[in-house]
Amino acid sequence: MDVSTPAPQPRKQAPDAGRRSERSRRAIFEAALALVGEVGYPKTTVEGIAARAGVGKQTIYRWWSSKGDVLLDAFLDLSAQAAAEAGATDGEPYAIPDTGDLAADLKAVLRATVDELRDPRFEAPSRALAAEGLVNEQVGREFVARLLEPQLQLYVDRLRAAQDGGQVRPEVDPRIALELFVSPLAQRWLQRTGPISYDYTDTLVDYALYGIAARPPAEPSPPARN
Amino acid sequence: MDVSTPAPQPRKQAPDAGRRSERSRRAIFEAALALVGEVGYPKTTVEGIAARAGVGKQTIYRWWSSKGDVLLDAFLDLSAQAAAEAGATDGEPYAIPDTGDLAADLKAVLRATVDELRDPRFEAPSRALAAEGLVNEQVGREFVARLLEPQLQLYVDRLRAAQDGGQVRPEVDPRIALELFVSPLAQRWLQRTGPISYDYTDTLVDYALYGIAARPPAEPSPPARN
């Protein structure tokens, strides 16, 4: 796995997948994720990642300009792997299914997210990164913009399709609506405020779609749930 | 503000409000919150808090057994102050109003929370503590159990009252339902995933109560929103 002999290319050139060794790339990602999970973001260094991956520091600097860049790519790769395992197609690794049944589609995606959150490969590095993002505004904003928000936009797309199909009220803002089921799961996982399960995420979807309020008192009898 | 002369009492005795100097207690809280916000939880020490507060280390150890205990009390005090400024009564600092109008009551409380989250006294120490709770399970669980969950239980109480009054569907689990409006605000603030405002929290309450789904297609025309 040692590809540490520095090649004579200039640093920080544009990534060139063709020249990269897939094996060393994977070793670097795994080392970066393991390290940040073990010692936290501040103590993770490019030197430490290189040593653990069995590559030279220059190999990393040839492809990435900082530990933040390595970690961003490592997390994007991890998410792509999780999506691939969940059966996503190559072209759209995060696409949310559209079977016409919005509740079923959202529940399926959230169940897959529950599986991902329970994956031990994901746990420690994700917590370390999220923790750093809370106190380091630059890290937080970069990872939200490049990692989290693109995933949330897939829910926006799915909810817009549901609005077009008449399943979601037209005046609803999809970017806010998605938070009714995404944010509770995120908070339970991040802050350990409660257990996460398929039942739980199914319930979130039902509440978000149909509301928790009783139907208007003008109606004489309680209506069916949906 | 110096009350640093160690008294001959044994350490870790039960707190005795009568013997505490309110002035030194406040200085210790302010120092603890300022320090954790500036240097983070791991680098905050009892020695550092004592030095900044102008008290002796033994003064702190007489009342608290660890920096975690000091910080927990400091945050509880900060929340009580915020609640008092929001007009809460002394006996029930966090009570959620019950005017009979659930939507209005929830919106009022969430608007007060928006104000608190924007308070600079709150920002840095809260982020530092939340960040530590993400990666340090013991700290996370203790602060959730003693600080966050008691606040969430007030929403449970309010939603149960609404169920008793017929405004919330009886089959709804209040502990999950509250997350539809609490967790999105928490995530936007913690992870900076979006702006927070009164309009935003008002919208969350409306979506959570009435749902984002269009009414069932059996109905010929779209019903009024509530």
Side-chain angles (χ1 to χ4, degrees):
Chain A
M1 212 173 284
D2 188 348
V3 293
S4 61
T5 311
Q9 290 93 357
R11 283 186 183 188
K12 296 174 195 175
Q13 64 189 25
D16 179 342
R19 283 215 314 281
R20 284 189 194 180
S21 155
E22 173 63 20
R23 210 169 50 159
S24 64
R25 195 183 69 104
R26 184 141 309 283
I28 290 164
F29 286 167
E30 285 171 7
L33 292 172
L35 258 188
V36 78
E38 288 167 19
V39 305
Y41 188 94
K43 290 183 186 161
T44 296
T45 62
V46 168
E47 288 78 0
I49 295 169
R52 185 162 185 144
V55 305
K57 193 169 85 169
Q58 293 311 316
T59 300
I60 293 180
Y61 279 126
R62 212 183 311 148
W63 295 332
W64 296 281
S65 62
S66 67
K67 68 175 178 182
D69 282 345
V70 181
L71 277 166
L72 179 68
D73 276 354
F75 273 95
L76 288 168
D77 180 74
L78 186 65
S79 295
Q81 283 181 54
E85 286 165 18
T89 59
D90 282 346
E92 296 179 87
Y94 301 110
I96 292 173
D98 188 348
T99 66
D101 182 340
L102 178 63
D105 294 346
L106 294 176
K107 288 175 184 178
V109 173
L110 288 170
R111 285 176 172 219
T113 304
V114 167
D115 291 340
E116 185 178 353
L117 294 177
R118 285 170 163 172
D119 185 333
R121 291 176 301 176
F122 184 86
E123 171 93 16
S126 298
R127 287 191 181 284
L129 187 71
E132 182 68 13
L134 261 51
V135 292
N136 182 331
E137 186 163 348
Q138 193 209 327
V139 167
R141 289 197 185 280
E142 183 161 359
F143 277 80
V144 166
R146 296 175 63 185
L147 191 66
L148 184 54
E149 192 62 33
Q151 296 184 18
L152 299 184
Q153 283 299 318
L154 300 169
Y155 285 100
V156 170
D157 295 342
R158 182 65 187 85
L159 291 172
R160 287 224 173 96
Q163 284 179 315
D164 292 343
Q167 292 105 37
V168 167
R169 290 188 281 120
E171 71 273 23
V172 162
D173 180 339
R175 181 60 188 77
I176 295 176
L178 68 89
E179 297 177 48
L180 271 69
F181 39 85
V182 167
S183 297
L185 178 59
Q187 187 175 30
R188 282 201 178 199
W189 184 79
L190 275 172
Q191 298 199 286
R192 302 185 186 87
T193 46
I196 64 176
S197 67
Y198 291 171
D199 274 353
Y200 168 65
T201 49
D202 286 358
T203 300
L204 290 173
V205 170
D206 286 333
Y207 290 1
L209 288 180
Y210 310 115
I212 65 166
R215 294 295 178 260
E219 293 178 71
S221 61
R225 184 155 163 189
N226 56 30
Chain B
M1 214 173 284
D2 189 349
V3 293
S4 61
T5 311
Q9 292 93 357
R11 283 186 183 188
K12 297 171 193 175
Q13 64 188 23
D16 179 342
R19 284 214 314 279
R20 285 189 194 179
S21 154
E22 174 61 20
R23 209 169 50 159
S24 64
R25 195 182 70 104
R26 184 141 308 284
I28 290 165
F29 286 166
E30 285 173 5
L33 292 172
L35 258 186
V36 78
E38 288 169 17
V39 304
Y41 187 93
K43 290 183 186 159
T44 296
T45 61
V46 169
E47 288 78 1
I49 296 169
R52 186 161 183 145
V55 306
K57 194 169 81 167
Q58 294 310 315
T59 300
I60 293 180
Y61 278 126
R62 211 182 311 148
W63 297 331
W64 296 281
S65 62
S66 69
K67 69 176 176 182
D69 282 345
V70 181
L71 277 165
L72 180 67
D73 276 355
F75 273 95
L76 288 168
D77 180 74
L78 187 64
S79 295
Q81 283 181 54
E85 286 164 17
T89 59
D90 282 346
E92 299 178 87
Y94 300 112
I96 293 173
D98 189 348
T99 66
D101 182 340
L102 178 63
D105 292 347
L106 295 176
K107 288 175 183 178
V109 173
L110 287 170
R111 285 176 173 220
T113 305
V114 166
D115 291 340
E116 184 178 353
L117 294 177
R118 285 172 164 170
D119 184 335
R121 291 175 302 174
F122 184 86
E123 171 94 15
S126 298
R127 287 191 180 284
L129 186 71
E132 180 68 12
L134 261 50
V135 292
N136 182 331
E137 186 164 348
Q138 193 209 326
V139 167
R141 290 198 185 279
E142 182 160 1
F143 276 80
V144 166
R146 296 174 64 185
L147 191 66
L148 184 54
E149 191 62 34
Q151 297 183 17
L152 298 184
Q153 283 299 318
L154 301 168
Y155 286 100
V156 170
D157 295 342
R158 182 65 187 84
L159 291 173
R160 288 224 173 95
Q163 284 179 314
D164 292 344
Q167 292 105 37
V168 167
R169 290 188 282 119
E171 70 274 23
V172 162
D173 180 338
R175 181 59 187 75
I176 295 177
L178 67 89
E179 297 177 48
L180 271 69
F181 39 84
V182 167
S183 296
L185 177 60
Q187 186 175 30
R188 282 201 178 200
W189 184 79
L190 275 172
Q191 298 198 288
R192 302 184 186 87
T193 46
I196 63 177
S197 66
Y198 292 171
D199 274 352
Y200 169 65
T201 50
D202 286 358
T203 300
L204 290 173
V205 170
D206 286 334
Y207 290 0
L209 288 181
Y210 310 116
I212 66 166
R215 294 294 177 261
E219 294 180 69
S221 63
R225 185 157 162 185
N226 56 31

